[in-house]
Amino acid sequence: MQVQFLGAADTVTGSKHLVHAGGQRVLLDCGMFQGFKVFRERNWQALAVEPRAIDAVVLSHAHLDHSGWLPVLVRSGFAGPVYATPATRALAEVLLLDAAYLQEEDARRANRYHTSRHEKALPLYTRADVHRTMSRFRPLSPGREASLGELSLSFTPVGHLLGACAVTLSERRHTLVFSGDLGRRHDLLMPPPQTLQAADTMIVESTYGNRRHPVDDPAPLLAEVVCETVRRGGSVLMPAFAVGRAQALLLLLQRLKASGQIPGKLPIFLDSPMAIEATSLYRQFRRLLRVSAAEIERLTDGVTLVTTGAQSMRLSRSRYPCVIISASGMATGGRVLHHLKAMAPHPQHHIVFAGFQVGGSRGAHLVAGASEVKIHGEYVPVRAEVSTLEGLSGHADADEVLDWLRALRRPPAQTFVVHGEPDAADTLRLRIQDELRWRVRVPAHGALFTL
């Protein structure tokens, strides 16, 4: 068995791990690179292996840094099956179509205003590419197995996101486990990660490998932010990942209204067609959640669903206090940018981020205290208050990752730490080495190992 790390090996995005075993080449995840330009440019580079030579793709979950390069792979010649849980397949379609639309719009805008350094700006992929990609999916539920030549494939739920799972690939003499993204013990929406019994090789994520989440309940902090902002006549803008974080924020706001901690008549707007569609999927797959069916049904009670671009633009010009939840979660694109342009220059408003901000993203710059940000080719001053709700992260922190690893009955022969910024990955490596006494390394981008 061999594994080659083609993404998320020196950064937290672009998850791609190629496993060669049992006569099969299986790509674990097919993610898009995000954040710093040096990483985003990899999205336009050819893969180190010919796409036609890959026999199957297995998705741990639907987030774009794990699924967002699939349409490029299919367009480049990949013709095999894509295995994912039913919920992951449903969410991936929503996320990929939205990503393609945004890329098409960005290319159209660049060509219209001549802001591209290329003669003609092109999207990385189109919605037509996504439709072709979705035909490759083969849903596989947790608890079932699929045969890939001499390999067997199975999924184990790990919280984090609807449908998210760790991946187990087994041949006669070797079992490889890929954690995907691990969720938290006390996530608002998702059950805690299920543990596994054995792995000869472990590939584990390290998004929060150098951090511990605060133990404080995020609800009182959010209530304080909302009430203080409303008192000074401002509005709260919450850039939110349309899948997972948007639904968690809606749940928190509904609970705060019901308990009287924020004004019951405060207008709340969900300005993201993708988040609206994803919320319906959370209702469809509510048996996978830890929240009661009644609360899931009430997520959008009293919430104005903003469906059209014209409605969104009118909302960005409004002057009355409100809460706006809009995608994207790292403010890299989408409707949230119009709200940022309108609200960031004014000190009465508050911008609240509720998820991990990849280095180099607009969200990371804002959280770091940037005095201005570039939006649609122009610099916008930032005078609004900016804060983060760390307690709402969907990722396990370093302690939770170690606890999940400890549940294995015996140490793996080899552990690889991936999907983290360099400091986070190496900090987790040291803890695994020192506390668990496992053989562990952080692979370099493109590195190939025989297991």
Side-chain angles (χ1 to χ4, degrees):
M1 183 179 282
Q2 291 183 322
V3 59
Q4 186 173 14
F5 296 94
L6 303 177
D10 54 358
T11 180
V12 76
T13 69
S15 183
K16 299 182 193 74
H17 314 299
L18 183 66
V19 177
H20 191 179
Q24 301 285 304
R25 286 188 177 91
V26 180
L27 187 63
L28 302 178
D29 281 349
C30 191
M32 176 189 293
F33 287 97
Q34 300 168 312
F36 291 112
K37 185 177 180 181
V38 66
F39 295 124
R40 298 198 311 271
E41 287 178 340
R42 291 179 182 174
N43 292 323
W44 297 88
Q45 298 170 2
L47 203 61
V49 62
E50 173 61 45
R52 290 179 178 84
I54 299 173
D55 296 291
V57 173
V58 181
L59 293 187
S60 63
H61 66 288
H63 277 146
L64 289 178
D65 56 334
H66 294 258
S67 72
W69 208 71
L70 260 177
V72 181
L73 191 76
V74 171
R75 192 183 61 215
S76 301
F78 171 72
V82 177
Y83 292 96
T85 63
T88 293
R89 193 260 179 229
L91 286 177
E93 184 169 18
V94 173
L95 283 161
L96 291 172
L97 283 172
D98 183 75
Y101 170 75
L102 291 178
Q103 291 167 49
E104 290 171 336
E105 285 297 294
D106 286 345
R108 180 191 61 78
R109 186 181 296 110
N111 289 324
R112 180 179 180 183
Y113 296 107
H114 307 289
T115 57
S116 173
R117 58 188 174 89
H118 302 285
E119 184 176 345
K120 183 179 181 181
L122 298 172
L124 182 63
Y125 52 83
T126 66
R127 283 170 285 182
D129 293 325
V130 173
H131 290 305
R132 284 191 292 271
T133 298
M134 298 314 300
S135 68
R136 311 307 314 167
F137 274 76
R138 303 291 182 269
L140 178 67
S141 297
R144 296 180 178 270
E145 287 192 357
S147 295
L148 285 67
E150 298 176 13
L151 291 172
S152 66
L153 161 68
S154 61
F155 287 123
T156 301
V158 290
H160 179 63
L161 183 73
L162 199 65
C165 284
V167 178
T168 300
L169 283 178
S170 299
E171 59 175 352
R172 284 180 303 156
R173 296 179 299 170
H174 202 101
T175 296
L176 179 147
V177 171
F178 170 45
S179 70
D181 282 356
L182 296 172
R184 305 185 62 190
R185 291 191 205 98
H186 304 296
D187 189 88
L188 275 171
L189 292 167
M190 301 303 303
Q194 295 181 19
T195 56
L196 292 101
Q197 295 187 353
D200 298 302
T201 296
M202 170 64 72
I203 303 173
V204 64
E205 67 116 332
S206 59
T207 309
Y208 280 84
N210 58 349
R211 280 172 283 183
R212 292 181 176 90
H213 291 310
V215 296
D216 299 336
D217 182 359
L221 177 58
L222 179 58
E224 181 182 346
V225 165
V226 170
C227 290
E228 176 58 31
T229 305
V230 169
R231 272 196 296 268
R232 64 180 182 236
S235 292
V236 177
L237 174 62
M238 309 188 79
F241 300 103
V243 180
R245 290 312 89 194
Q247 291 73 37
L249 288 170
L250 287 171
L251 180 65
L252 261 186
L253 290 167
Q254 294 290 8
R255 289 177 175 176
L256 291 174
K257 276 194 170 187
S259 63
Q261 295 180 69
I262 64 174
K265 294 184 178 180
L266 177 68
I268 297 174
F269 296 88
L270 182 59
D271 186 9
S272 167
M274 181 167 61
I276 294 168
E277 191 170 356
T279 302
S280 70
L281 290 177
Y282 269 71
R283 292 190 176 108
Q284 179 183 335
F285 291 98
R286 57 181 173 266
R287 61 183 177 79
L288 302 179
L289 306 175
R290 73 189 312 164
V291 182
S292 71
E295 276 203 295
I296 291 299
E297 286 300 321
R298 291 196 299 267
L299 276 184
T300 55
D301 282 4
V303 176
T304 301
L305 306 180
V306 182
T307 55
T308 70
Q311 291 171 335
S312 178
M313 294 301 289
R314 284 197 297 272
L315 176 61
S316 70
R317 295 191 295 268
S318 65
R319 295 291 180 266
Y320 52 84
C322 63
V323 174
I324 301 172
I325 302 172
S326 186
S328 67
M330 293 185 289
T332 53
R335 294 182 179 179
V336 73
L337 297 185
H338 297 289
H339 299 304
L340 269 177
K341 286 176 74 172
M343 296 171 66
H346 304 291
Q348 72 268 29
H349 299 310
H350 201 134
I351 302 164
V352 180
F353 288 91
F356 184 80
Q357 303 299 306
V358 171
S361 66
R362 194 176 282 106
H365 290 311
L366 284 163
V367 168
S371 60
E372 60 181 14
V373 289
K374 193 175 184 180
I375 301 175
H376 298 152
E378 61 182 274
Y379 284 94
V380 177
V382 180
R383 301 185 187 96
E385 194 170 352
V386 178
S387 60
T388 59
L389 282 178
E390 292 187 29
L392 279 180
S393 171
H395 284 272
D397 66 12
D399 290 347
E400 290 168 322
V401 172
L402 283 166
D403 287 345
W404 187 79
L405 293 173
R406 282 192 186 96
L408 292 174
R409 292 183 177 178
R410 55 181 171 80
Q414 178 68 69
T415 297
F416 297 97
V417 178
V418 298
H419 206 275
E421 303 291 7
D423 181 61
D426 200 57
T427 300
L428 185 64
R429 176 192 66 82
L430 285 170
R431 289 194 64 182
I432 292 172
Q433 174 184 287
D434 296 344
E435 297 179 32
L436 304 185
R437 303 293 179 183
W438 291 5
R439 185 182 175 201
V440 57
R441 68 176 74 193
V442 178
H445 179 70
L448 173 67
F449 295 91
T450 299
L451 309 178

